[in-house]
Amino acid sequence: MVSLIKTERMAEMMRSKVIDLQTRRVLVSRIEGSEQQADLTAAPNAAGYGRVRHFRRAVREDWPANPLPIEPAARWLNLSCTSEVRAQVFQVAGCAWRCWYCYVPFNMLSADIKRSAWKSVPELLDLYWAECNRPPIIDLSGGSPDLVPEWITWMMDAIEQADRKSSIYLWSDDNLSSDYLLTGRRELLSRMESYGSGYGRVCCLKGFDPISFSFNTGADPSGFEEQLRILSGYAKSEIDLYLYVTLTSPPRPTDRELVGSFVERLGEIRADLPARTVALRIDEFGAMLPRMNETRRLALDNQWRLMQAWQDCLAAGNVEAVR
């Protein structure tokens, strides 16, 4: 029997392996030559430590549009209404969870120095400045950037020092596996708030109840409530906050009721959170194929029914699309 991940212990271990506070460096994945490269539509850039991601509003004709980070980036950068944006992605090489549908190979989530390198923010920005036709968005991804919130504030400082704040939109992912911003590092949260709407943070909720959460992450089911507790702390801040939810779970008779209760919970945390949440469609990537089994294939099929339940709940509550 596979043992469940103890999130707090795993997060602390991963953090210790992917950040060097003394030298202000983060362990960044090397994408060039990795298994992940085969899934990319363009070759890795930034000397192999970055990639360009195309965020497209249209997911599929029969799936709700995804306006993230297109809408907040367009507002900051004064772009006209657009269906697609490009982002420069850097990935921290660690994560507390092992989501079966993750597009990153697990060997790039375990702080493996053979598949990564220590990089400071100035070093990463030098690689970014050197790129031709560089994207106007920098996306700090992973792995799990919430393990290293300093990375985000260091990037903010460096962008401002370069006098590039008005021309760069900063975006980061958060899987709500750690509460470092809320406990003992409040000055980092204050720094993010002071940066204003040139920064957006998207938190990915890994399911809609404890069972779907544990199924998706491989972690103890208690992590579901912990995700919501951390989200509640962020929701009280001035950060420009958005959410993803992954609706991957094997079919259960109570699916619709569970999704409805989840939407209500989000609204109780903050009234506008359902409107700031995007149901993230999970596709098959090369990295996840070895992890697939019959139960997970059922979950991929069931996400369509769960998405419809999600949409019905939003419509019943007159919730508008994410903006």
Side-chain angles (χ1 to χ4, degrees):
M1 182 176 178
V2 178
S3 59
L4 295 174
I5 294 169
K6 301 300 182 183
T7 298
E8 184 175 0
R9 184 188 312 160
M10 185 69 155
E12 289 177 356
M13 181 183 68
M14 281 290 106
R15 174 175 166 82
S16 71
K17 292 183 175 184
V18 297
I19 190 168
D20 185 334
L21 292 173
Q22 186 172 0
T23 63
R24 293 168 66 100
R25 295 184 301 167
V26 171
L27 197 63
V28 175
S29 292
R30 181 173 178 82
I31 299 170
E32 186 174 59
S34 71
E35 296 172 45
Q36 185 182 359
Q37 183 174 354
D39 287 324
L40 304 182
T41 56
N45 69 351
Y49 292 97
R51 62 186 177 93
V52 174
R53 179 172 179 180
H54 293 76
F55 287 95
R56 296 181 174 90
R57 190 185 300 268
V59 179
R60 264 182 56 166
E61 185 177 342
D62 43 4
W63 191 274
N66 180 358
L68 299 178
I70 298 170
E71 290 284 352
R75 284 195 292 270
W76 180 253
L77 298 169
N78 293 315
L79 301 177
S80 58
C81 186
T82 180
S83 60
E84 180 179 319
V85 295
R86 296 163 57 249
Q88 174 66 56
V89 180
F90 295 111
Q91 298 175 191
V92 68
C95 186
W97 294 331
R98 296 295 180 267
C99 298
W100 60 268
Y101 50 70
C102 186
Y103 56 81
V104 180
F106 285 173
N107 60 22
M108 295 174 67
L109 301 177
S110 59
D112 186 347
I113 194 63
K114 297 189 299 294
R115 295 177 170 85
S116 55
W118 290 101
K119 297 289 183 184
S120 67
V121 165
E123 288 172 329
L124 292 176
L125 283 178
D126 282 344
L127 295 174
Y128 172 68
W129 305 137
E131 288 294 319
C132 298
N133 191 29
R134 57 181 176 266
I137 299 171
I138 294 179
D139 178 5
L140 301 183
S141 188
S144 181
D146 51 318
L147 294 174
V148 288
E150 294 89 347
W151 191 31
I152 300 165
T153 59
W154 294 340
M155 185 65 73
M156 290 174 172
D157 292 344
I159 290 172
E160 285 189 339
Q161 289 166 10
D163 198 23
R164 302 289 185 96
K165 182 175 178 180
S166 63
S167 60
I168 295 174
Y169 181 72
L170 184 60
W171 182 250
S172 75
D173 306 322
D174 188 329
N175 65 14
L176 298 166
S177 64
S178 59
D179 65 352
Y180 297 134
L181 276 181
L182 304 176
T183 55
R185 297 174 180 84
R186 297 288 301 195
E187 74 281 359
L188 300 178
L189 181 61
S190 297
R191 175 66 179 108
M192 293 176 191
E193 291 175 315
S194 70
Y195 198 78
S197 54
Y199 167 65
R201 186 182 195 90
V202 64
C203 302
C204 189
L205 294 155
K206 305 294 186 177
F208 49 91
D209 76 327
I211 291 176
S212 59
F213 166 86
S214 185
F215 170 76
N216 286 326
T217 62
D220 190 280
S222 61
F224 175 76
E225 289 297 332
E226 184 68 1
Q227 277 202 304
L228 295 183
R229 182 190 71 80
I230 297 168
L231 176 62
S232 296
Y234 289 169
K236 296 180 178 70
S237 75
E238 298 299 319
I239 292 177
D240 196 18
L241 183 67
Y242 300 91
L243 303 175
Y244 290 139
V245 59
T246 50
L247 299 172
T248 41
S249 178
R252 287 176 284 168
T254 56
D255 275 348
R256 294 188 67 86
E257 291 80 4
L258 289 168
V259 170
S261 296
F262 178 62
V263 173
E264 290 180 5
R265 290 284 302 277
L266 292 181
E268 289 167 359
I269 292 172
R270 204 171 81 187
D272 67 338
L273 286 186
R276 286 176 165 259
T277 305
V278 169
L280 198 62
R281 189 171 78 101
I282 301 302
D283 288 314
E284 290 191 25
F285 288 91
M288 68 183 272
L289 293 181
R291 312 170 197 149
M292 292 301 293
N293 56 35
E294 185 59 29
T295 303
R296 289 169 178 174
R297 292 197 184 281
L298 283 174
L300 285 182
D301 291 340
N302 193 43
Q303 72 176 320
W304 295 86
R305 290 182 285 274
L306 292 167
M307 177 272 290
Q308 190 57 62
W310 173 268
Q311 290 295 101
D312 291 345
C313 290
L314 296 186
N318 294 313
V319 174
E320 298 179 358
V322 176
R323 291 193 60 79

